[in-house]
């Protein structure tokens, strides 16, 4: 998974997960605050696992290099 982590824009993924859980916290449940805290402090690998568990498409976060 480490090779895959290097190809993922972790900061964009973290930002989108924070937005996702912030919305959930206000519109669904304040229990999402626990998940939000986990996202803010997660390692890169854990962040990818959280994203996959929440059906995020990691293809949207692949870093593309141009020549």
């Amino acid at each position: 998974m480490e090779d895959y982590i290097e190809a993922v824009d972790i900061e964009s993924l973290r930002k989108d997960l924070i937005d996702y859980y912030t919305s959930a916290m206000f519109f669904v449940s304040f229990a999402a605050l626990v998940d939000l805290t986990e996202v803010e402090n997660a390692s890169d690998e854990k962040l990818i696992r959280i994203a996959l568990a929440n059906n995020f498409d990691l293809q949207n976060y692949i870093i593309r290099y141009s020549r």
Side-chain angles (χ1 to χ4, degrees):
M1 181 180 268
E2 285 191 27
D3 292 337
Y4 192 68
I5 291 172
E6 292 177 13
V8 174
D9 183 348
I10 294 294
E11 292 311 309
S12 290
L13 179 60
R14 187 180 311 273
K15 179 191 172 300
D16 287 351
L17 280 166
I18 288 170
D19 290 346
Y20 174 78
Y21 280 112
T22 300
S23 296
M25 188 174 64
F26 288 108
F27 296 112
V28 179
S29 169
F30 285 110
L33 179 60
V34 174
D35 296 324
L36 176 61
T37 302
E38 184 177 13
V39 166
E40 291 173 334
N41 297 307
S43 67
D44 295 352
E45 186 174 340
K46 177 71 174 176
L47 195 71
I48 289 173
R49 288 185 186 160
I50 293 169
L52 291 172
N54 287 282
N55 299 316
F56 273 63
D57 183 358
L58 294 183
Q59 291 298 316
N60 295 328
Y61 299 94
I62 298 297
I63 299 170
R64 311 241 191 269
Y65 297 100
S66 59
R67 296 181 190 201

